[in-house]
Amino acid sequence: MVWRRQKFLQGLICLAFAFPQTPLAAETSYVDIGQLAARCEAKLKYSDEGDCAKIDAGKFEIQCRLNSALYKIGGTNVYGQWPVAGQRGSLRIAREDWERVIVPLLSPFPAQQLRRICIDPGHGGKDCGARTQRTNLEEKQLTLDVAKRLQKLLQKRGIDAILTRTSDCYIPLENRPAVANRSKCDMFVCIHFNAADSPNAEGMETYIVPHQGAASTARLQSPSTGDKKFCINNRHNERNLCLAHCIQRELSSLKSSKDRGVKRGRFTVLENANCPAVLVECGFMTGLQESRRIGNWDHRQAIAAALCDGICSYGAGRK
Ligand SMILES: [Zn+2]
């Protein structure tokens, strides 16, 4: 299994240089998924319709779909920047997504020392955040509740955890990562709950900042001028992704939780953090079923436990 994995990883990395690039869009280039699988000696399977492909390299599996930027990597949803191109039975993956998303998530990374973690309960004070319709719970109360639960769980595992706020007070966005930076934290985790116009929206998602020059997931391949600037947190691109993947895997394993994936967004709180940083949306307060679950303390305890497990699995590294 180890040999096979090494072969697979070598293949992943070599392919970045070995194959002619076929430009299918003005801003990026693509690589044929069949060549990728052959080079890695991994099995490639297409769906009957030919619009979905699965690369099976033993322990690792990548799934993708024509015209979609959503990949399933190791069982967890992760958005790339570019939709899969090509045609049925012959799919192509954007080179940038392969280098920035697939390779980092399948490559080993060393164990990370987690001495101190900064937890940021979203909103507070005059900024209430979203609200549940029937029970009239405010997002600022729920994020603080989950943050305090997570703090206790991390402390039980011997990790010092500090909060950007411990009471119902307003803290400007730019002051929040400053707490993590000042205290030399090894990680910054922002906790939020989601809201949408549709009562059917549900599930959890984990955000990291996009690479310099790349667009947010909501806009996919259409970067704006603001996307060109480098932010402090871009120093941690790869570790952000590994952390987000570990956390999203745990969140989406919660009972009745829909996996909305690892996404990218230019949030001020993330951009200014000088350590690996994620923003988790722990479910929709506007969702009919989900808002009921969010109102239960045992569900919020389960969310905190999933966050703690994700953080610790990132800390353990990957061989
Ligand atoms: Zn929020």
Side-chain angles (χ1 to χ4, degrees):
M1 191 63 85
V2 171
W3 177 86
R4 194 167 174 195
R5 182 173 180 199
Q6 269 176 355
K7 195 89 190 158
F8 180 62
L9 291 172
Q10 278 166 9
L12 275 175
I13 293 157
C14 289
L15 268 168
F17 307 102
F19 287 94
Q21 304 300 312
T22 313
L24 293 179
E27 301 89 346
T28 192
S29 53
Y30 282 79
V31 184
D32 189 281
I33 197 171
Q35 291 177 323
L36 168 62
R39 184 80 181 206
C40 302
E41 295 184 8
K43 284 183 222 152
L44 172 65
K45 197 165 181 265
Y46 273 101
S47 62
D48 291 344
E49 295 78 21
D51 59 341
C52 296
K54 191 195 284 184
I55 296 178
D56 179 359
K59 202 169 156 189
F60 302 96
E61 200 176 273
I62 305 160
Q63 292 178 43
C64 61
R65 177 186 287 271
L66 181 63
N67 298 329
S68 169
L70 179 61
Y71 292 88
K72 196 177 266 277
I73 301 175
T76 302
N77 287 332
V78 183
Y79 279 87
Q81 194 189 345
W82 303 89
V84 169
Q87 52 195 343
R88 288 169 190 271
S90 170
L91 301 187
R92 291 163 186 254
I93 294 177
R95 180 192 173 98
E96 283 170 357
D97 286 337
W98 169 11
E99 289 173 356
R100 293 173 174 180
V101 180
I102 295 172
V103 173
L105 285 180
L106 300 184
S107 304
F109 71 91
Q112 308 289 315
Q113 202 177 12
L114 301 177
R115 283 159 302 194
R116 186 175 299 141
I117 290 177
C118 184
I119 308 166
D120 177 39
H123 311 278
K126 64 181 181 185
D127 171 14
C128 299
R131 215 181 273 268
T132 55
Q133 283 161 346
R134 284 191 202 134
T135 44
N136 206 27
L137 284 170
E138 292 171 328
E139 185 184 351
K140 64 175 183 176
Q141 303 167 341
L142 300 171
T143 57
L144 184 57
D145 178 82
V146 171
K148 286 182 173 172
R149 291 173 189 278
L150 174 59
Q151 182 183 37
K152 278 196 194 124
L153 292 169
L154 287 168
Q155 283 168 343
K156 270 191 200 157
R157 300 217 196 175
I159 301 169
D160 184 16
I162 59 169
L163 268 58
T164 54
R165 67 177 177 97
T166 53
S167 61
D168 182 17
C169 58
Y170 176 77
I171 302 178
L173 287 178
E174 56 276 16
N175 291 6
R176 295 171 184 254
V179 174
N181 296 347
R182 233 181 4 249
S183 306
K184 301 209 177 338
C185 289
D186 301 304
M187 184 189 295
F188 184 58
V189 180
C190 306
I191 297 173
H192 284 256
F193 287 88
N194 227 332
D197 291 336
S198 164
N200 300 321
E202 58 172 353
M204 306 195 191
E205 53 199 20
T206 305
Y207 281 90
I208 53 176
V209 294
H211 280 67
Q212 182 183 17
S216 298
T217 300
R219 282 182 290 108
L220 283 179
Q221 69 270 41
S222 316
S224 67
T225 330
D227 293 332
K228 295 205 175 100
K229 82 172 187 264
F230 177 86
C231 67
I232 298 171
N233 192 250
N234 278 137
R235 291 182 190 148
H236 307 281
N237 282 339
E238 276 202 11
R239 288 196 290 160
N240 288 339
L241 178 66
C242 294
L243 171 62
H245 188 258
C246 288
I247 286 182
Q248 184 61 24
R249 186 177 55 207
E250 296 298 330
L251 284 177
S252 55
S253 71
L254 288 176
K255 211 170 121 202
S256 325
S257 169
K258 188 180 167 196
D259 179 5
R260 294 175 65 91
V262 173
K263 298 181 174 180
R264 286 165 193 77
R266 293 197 179 278
F267 296 103
T268 304
V269 279
L270 296 181
E271 283 188 319
N272 295 318
N274 195 9
C275 57
V278 293
L279 185 148
V280 288
E281 293 280 6
C282 303
F284 281 79
M285 296 182 66
T286 44
L288 293 175
Q289 303 293 329
E290 205 159 44
S291 64
R292 214 168 288 153
R293 282 198 295 275
I294 289 169
N296 291 333
W297 70 265
D298 53 346
H299 180 65
R300 296 198 299 275
Q301 182 66 25
I303 291 172
L307 292 171
C308 182
D309 287 345
I311 289 168
C312 292
S313 110
Y314 163 82
R318 190 172 47 231
K319 287 182 185 147

